[in-house]
Amino acid sequence: MIIDSHQHFWIYEAEKHAWIDDDMKIIRKNFLPEDLKLVYQNNGIDGCVAVQADQTLAETDFLLDLAKKNDFIKGVVGWVDLRDSDIDIVLKYYSKFPKLKGFRHVVQGEADHNFMLRPDFLNGIAALEKHNFTYDILIFPHQLGAALDLVRRFPNQKFVIDHIAKPYIKDGFYAGWVTLMKVISKHENVYCKLSGMTTEADYNNWTPEQIEPYIEFVLDTFGSNRILFGSDWPVCLVAGNYTKTKELVTNFIAKLSSKEQAAIMGGNAMQFYNL
């Protein structure tokens, strides 16, 4: 089964989606399951994990409603305020929804480099472990130090790094990202999504050759059993189309065994998110 481990839905609102700047104006519109279903039919995708884009409980409920109405949405990564003093009560409520697999916070947008290490946030992560939810780490490379500290503190929590931690591919920055990712990869509870890479390169002029060293490194360090394919649709449309996004990964992993390819393209997502 081929699973897209990372995509988004939204009903576009200029204020809510202010992060969609002028360079990304192509995605200033609604993106809903009926749009993605056709894309998946054309690209041989069997199912997906829908990931939050807005930091509200309404967003979590919106995604759960879409998942309830669309069988191809196999799981949801929602949002809750992990700093909430009542986080246990909130998670107990959301434990009733079988398609809700985990949570994410847009840490990349936090000014505090050590946001994830604040006591209230750590308390929330501890609660996730108790309720058997996963956590998606969305960060920039300068926040990798805090991420390393986080995963060390919770060896039994399942973590996945979104978008290979967003290295600055367009600028060719590599060494600093490599150093910390290598250490993080030694923690067996941490997975990594091969997603969101083309939008860290030059939207209009990226080439597979430019991105492949980053993919090669992730494969070498995390191994084929802890890597998940993700499209980051519809954000990927800013830098091409769904087919090009998928082929960036499938062409690269074609050299691997069929078993390893199947793991990256779906098996690992099913195992990580318990789909």
Side-chain angles (χ1 to χ4, degrees):
M1 184 172 276
I2 297 181
I3 301 290
D4 182 345
S5 73
H6 199 105
Q7 57 74 217
H8 308 285
F9 297 114
W10 61 67
I11 295 170
Y12 179 72
E13 295 175 36
E15 192 175 338
K16 184 195 284 189
H17 301 103
W19 57 272
I20 305 177
D21 61 24
D22 288 345
D23 290 336
M24 306 171 79
K25 61 187 176 188
I26 190 174
I27 58 171
R28 282 178 173 161
K29 60 180 184 177
N30 297 349
F31 288 96
L32 293 165
E34 52 266 34
D35 306 307
L36 187 56
K37 206 169 189 177
L38 188 61
V39 172
Y40 281 174
Q41 286 169 2
N42 293 335
N43 287 277
I45 307 290
D46 299 302
C48 66
V49 176
V51 180
Q52 64 82 220
D54 185 40
Q55 305 210 109
T56 60
L57 292 178
E59 170 85 344
T60 304
D61 296 339
F62 165 68
L63 294 177
L64 285 172
D65 183 57
L66 294 181
K68 184 179 178 182
K69 295 170 180 171
N70 295 274
D71 288 342
F72 77 92
I73 305 172
K74 305 298 184 187
V76 166
V77 173
W79 181 88
V80 291
D81 188 351
L82 291 167
R83 299 162 295 176
D84 189 341
S85 58
D86 291 328
I87 188 63
D88 262 316
I89 295 167
V90 176
L91 293 180
K92 190 172 183 182
Y93 167 76
Y94 278 114
S95 294
K96 296 186 296 187
F97 299 89
K99 280 195 175 181
L100 186 55
K101 303 301 181 181
F103 295 95
R104 184 176 84 152
H105 187 92
V106 185
V107 176
Q108 69 174 37
E110 297 290 346
D112 180 1
H113 291 192
N114 294 309
F115 175 87
M116 293 184 289
L117 303 179
R118 299 302 170 205
D120 52 0
F121 191 83
L122 292 172
N123 181 60
I125 295 291
L128 289 183
E129 188 178 321
K130 190 162 67 175
H131 292 276
N132 202 29
F133 283 118
T134 63
Y135 182 74
D136 273 54
I137 300 174
L138 177 64
I139 53 172
F140 284 125
H142 69 266
Q143 297 162 314
L144 278 167
L148 173 59
D149 205 339
L150 178 72
V151 303
R152 278 178 173 160
R153 288 169 188 246
F154 297 98
N156 300 313
Q157 171 62 40
K158 287 163 80 174
F159 294 103
V160 61
I161 296 174
D162 290 350
H163 313 326
I164 68 170
K166 303 195 123 185
Y168 306 114
I169 298 172
K170 183 178 179 181
D171 298 312
F173 296 159
Y174 184 79
W177 168 79
V178 158
T179 302
L180 280 166
M181 284 286 277
K182 190 175 285 184
V183 185
I184 287 175
S185 73
K186 295 185 188 306
H187 296 266
E188 295 286 327
N189 58 320
V190 186
Y191 289 61
C192 188
K193 290 184 183 179
L194 287 177
S195 61
M197 296 176 290
T198 59
T199 44
E200 294 309 314
D202 186 314
Y203 293 169
N204 301 311
N205 300 301
W206 66 268
T207 64
E209 291 75 23
Q210 183 188 16
I211 299 173
E212 281 171 0
Y214 296 85
I215 304 177
E216 183 77 66
F217 169 78
V218 170
L219 177 62
D220 287 347
T221 49
F222 286 87
S224 60
N225 61 330
R226 285 191 288 138
I227 295 173
L228 287 62
F229 160 72
S231 69
D232 200 24
W233 182 94
V235 183
C236 67
L237 303 180
V238 169
N241 58 46
Y242 194 97
T243 301
K244 284 178 71 176
T245 304
K246 181 190 172 193
E247 287 178 349
L248 175 65
V249 175
T250 55
N251 289 347
F252 182 84
I253 66 172
K255 62 187 178 184
L256 303 179
S257 70
S258 56
K259 184 180 178 183
E260 289 173 312
Q261 291 179 57
I264 292 168
M265 295 306 295
N268 295 339
M270 293 177 74
Q271 185 268 326
F272 180 82
Y273 286 118
N274 191 27
L275 303 182

